[in-house]
Amino acid sequence: MLRLRNLRSRKIVSFQINKMSKKPSTPSNRPPSIDQIARAISDLDLPHPLLVDAAREAVNNANGNDVVEEARKIGEIISRTLLTDVINATGVLLHTNMGRSPIKIESQNQNFRFSNLELDLETGERGSRQDRSSKLIARACGAESALVVNNCASAVLLVIAALAEERGVAISRSELVEIGGGFRIPEIIEQSGAHLIEVGTTNRTRRKDFEKAITKNDVSLVLKVHQSNYRIVGFTETTEISEMTGLGVPLVADIGSGLIDSACPWLENGPPKWLIDEPAAKQSLESGAEIVTFSGDKLFGGPQAGIIAGKAELVELCAKHPMARVVRPGSLTLSALQDVTISYLERRASSIPFWKMATSTVDELKIRANKISKKCATETSATPGGGTLPGVEIPSAGLKLTGDHVEFFRQQNPPIICRVDNDQTFIDLMTVHPSDDVFIDNAVKKIQ
Ligand SMILES: *Cc1c(COP(=O)(O)O)cnc(C)c1O
């Protein structure tokens, strides 16, 4: 099992610290050396050079305070800057600040192991790292072929670079999207070497507008981008994928969120209500998109990755482009993606952490909330997050505490991330793994 650094498992060796902080074991009464201070806080489980940094900074800030105590505080701050497990109690299912989709990485073996990443076990020759997860993903979304890259931004960049080759990319003016973190469609098109051909108007774009743009310009592909994180309402008209086929150039749909099939056959009760209108890879391809691109860590529920799926010859052009090598995924990503995709193919949604959490019922969550505190239990609204489904609320349950305790919860070990609204702190249990309720219980007890 490969996990992030886990604060919970640290041992505290307190007797030694107390001894050191009160009475440094130096021969005379000189202040302890940097090295002695660093050793006195060695229970912090940081590499020695970082303990030395903390000790040095403590001596510099000393001001008559106990240097070991000061070094401990600094060390704890350093420790908290490292990547670590946290409890997401925000109710935001895909929280970009917390790595979007939760994933479980399991390895069959605790020993070190190589993998057949680029080895063909039949022939013993060099194979392709794209042979496994990509084929499974293609199967799961009904595509001829697929290619895995670093993230969806690189998927879009690669597709345009490979298929547009410095020619025009036609896109509706209503879809010139900016996704958080600086991904802007016009800039991506420019960076890929192609040029943007804006079609229609901000609120209304029709097939005729695309036809006109293609006659008047040198268009190499038509791009449809899902308005993931915003909606245009009122006097609007969008061109659906099915109305954009047969324009004489490939149709690429950047669906972003990575829902692979709108029927959600991996869920016993079919798609949840809140998923309405979210484009899915399978249906986008069936409607006539020749390529779809999407993220691995949004509704797909996997690790950070980008997927390019669709017509084999177009996917092949992407795979052969020099940029494909620049944005290729590593074996950890491919292994995690393979696990998630197999769960889809086996229709075992419960083994995909995202879908397990997203389909927990309010009743189940209420039982958990009441167990922690009957007094604080409350209904809440969770949201999909991750720049998908803006404004969508998912009925959920959790705890409500008077006052702003966000910082207190964040300082817990493991850190509990929650939200405050109107001077009330909300702990949403939909995004919390049931085995972590005990940490919330302990923290809530400290407040009351
Ligand atoms: C999220 C999103 C992206 C960017 O995906 P990353 O995996 O974060 O690079 C691109 N396009 C759309 C439509 C998106 O929703």
Side-chain angles (χ1 to χ4, degrees):
M1 180 92 151
L2 198 130
R3 283 195 74 124
L4 276 183
R5 198 181 143 82
N6 193 331
L7 290 163
R8 279 163 250 183
S9 61
R10 291 204 213 150
K11 282 188 239 108
I12 305 291
V13 194
S14 56
F15 72 96
Q16 193 195 352
I17 315 150
N18 293 340
K19 203 170 76 188
M20 275 310 293
S21 60
K22 291 200 181 95
K23 207 172 155 205
S25 58
T26 36
S28 63
N29 253 351
R30 267 181 306 159
S33 69
I34 298 286
D35 192 58
Q36 279 173 317
I37 301 169
R39 279 174 208 286
I41 57 169
S42 63
D43 60 293
L44 282 182
D45 193 21
L46 280 172
H48 192 68
L50 297 189
L51 295 174
V52 168
D53 288 351
R56 210 164 262 144
E57 200 180 326
V59 169
N60 289 341
N61 309 348
N63 276 342
N65 296 334
D66 183 320
V67 277
V68 174
E69 281 314 305
E70 183 71 15
R72 172 169 302 285
K73 270 189 219 142
I74 298 167
E76 276 167 358
I77 292 170
I78 296 176
S79 191
R80 293 177 74 85
T81 62
L82 299 177
L83 202 54
T84 184
D85 289 354
V86 301
I87 295 175
N88 172 9
T90 60
V92 181
L93 271 58
L94 302 167
H95 202 301
T96 306
N97 298 2
M98 287 178 263
R100 288 195 185 146
S101 168
I103 48 168
K104 208 167 60 183
I105 304 174
E106 277 168 81
S107 159
Q108 289 166 322
N109 206 298
Q110 297 295 313
N111 304 327
F112 76 72
R113 276 277 188 271
F114 293 100
S115 74
N116 56 344
L117 182 64
E118 289 197 355
L119 178 68
D120 183 329
L121 292 175
E122 285 305 311
T123 62
E125 307 278 316
R126 181 166 187 175
S128 159
R129 68 177 62 208
Q130 295 288 349
D131 272 357
R132 303 166 188 95
S133 335
S134 316
K135 282 200 175 131
L136 295 171
I137 292 170
R139 187 84 174 72
C141 59
E144 285 177 15
S145 178
L147 181 73
V148 179
V149 294
N150 184 50
N151 55 15
C152 187
S154 33
V156 177
L157 183 72
L158 176 58
V159 166
I160 299 173
L163 307 185
E165 289 183 284
E166 302 183 10
R167 293 170 57 205
V169 173
I171 175 171
S172 164
R173 286 199 164 87
S174 64
E175 294 172 4
L176 298 172
V177 180
E178 172 173 325
I179 307 285
F183 173 85
R184 311 177 96 192
I185 289 291
E187 288 169 11
I188 291 287
I189 293 176
E190 197 184 307
Q191 286 300 316
S192 68
H195 57 268
L196 171 68
I197 294 163
E198 296 183 26
V199 178
T201 63
T202 307
N203 55 333
R204 310 194 98 192
T205 304
R206 307 181 183 89
R207 179 183 169 95
K208 262 202 277 172
D209 299 320
F210 281 101
E211 287 170 350
K212 207 164 82 191
I214 291 170
T215 335
K216 277 177 56 185
N217 303 278
D218 177 28
V219 173
S220 60
L221 66 87
V222 171
L223 180 63
K224 178 159 183 69
V225 180
H226 179 45
Q227 296 169 346
S228 297
N229 51 10
Y230 69 105
R231 293 284 178 264
I232 299 179
V233 294
F235 186 57
T236 62
E237 185 173 342
T238 48
T239 331
E240 299 301 329
I241 289 175
S242 56
E243 303 167 71
M244 294 167 78
T245 57
L247 285 166
V249 291
L251 170 58
V252 174
D254 176 23
I255 62 167
S257 71
L259 177 63
I260 52 168
D261 183 342
S262 57
C264 299
W266 59 92
L267 298 181
E268 222 171 278
N269 301 319
K273 276 201 204 84
W274 50 266
L275 212 54
I276 291 302
D277 290 341
E278 189 61 15
K282 184 161 185 270
Q283 284 70 23
S284 300
L285 292 165
E286 281 170 1
S287 307
E290 272 125 339
I291 288 283
V292 291
T293 52
F294 56 89
S295 295
D297 55 357
K298 294 186 184 169
L299 298 177
F300 190 76
Q304 180 191 303
I307 286 112
I308 299 169
K311 286 257 168 347
E313 52 180 325
L314 299 179
V315 173
E316 184 65 17
L317 284 175
C318 297
K320 285 204 173 120
H321 192 276
M323 206 186 281
R325 171 65 180 80
V326 180
V327 294
R328 79 177 183 188
S331 65
L332 286 177
T333 300
L334 290 170
S335 159
L337 264 182
Q338 175 173 288
D339 283 352
V340 175
T341 316
I342 288 175
S343 302
Y344 276 117
L345 292 170
E346 291 182 338
R347 304 192 167 187
R348 278 188 297 121
S350 59
S351 56
I352 303 172
F354 170 77
W355 287 106
K356 196 177 159 80
M357 113 186 142
T359 52
S360 39
T361 66
V362 178
D363 286 344
E364 283 162 18
L365 300 173
K366 270 189 191 159
I367 293 172
R368 286 169 51 195
N370 276 316
K371 236 188 209 164
I372 298 171
S373 163
K374 272 210 169 58
K375 206 179 86 204
C376 301
T378 180
E379 294 194 356
T380 55
S381 294
T383 55
T388 64
L389 298 148
V392 167
E393 294 190 351
I394 310 171
S396 179
L399 305 161
K400 181 171 77 178
L401 295 114
T402 312
D404 180 348
H405 305 289
V406 166
E407 191 179 341
F408 166 80
F409 280 107
R410 206 175 55 242
Q411 299 304 330
Q412 300 304 302
N413 182 8
I416 299 165
I417 315 300
C418 52
R419 64 190 174 85
V420 66
D421 188 18
N422 244 335
D423 207 36
Q424 287 179 314
T425 303
F426 288 88
I427 307 268
D428 197 309
L429 290 178
M430 182 171 274
T431 46
V432 176
H433 191 278
S435 70
D436 284 342
D437 285 1
V438 55
F439 296 107
I440 292 182
D441 194 12
N442 289 341
V444 167
K445 289 217 167 78
K446 281 191 221 167
I447 291 181
Q448 289 173 332

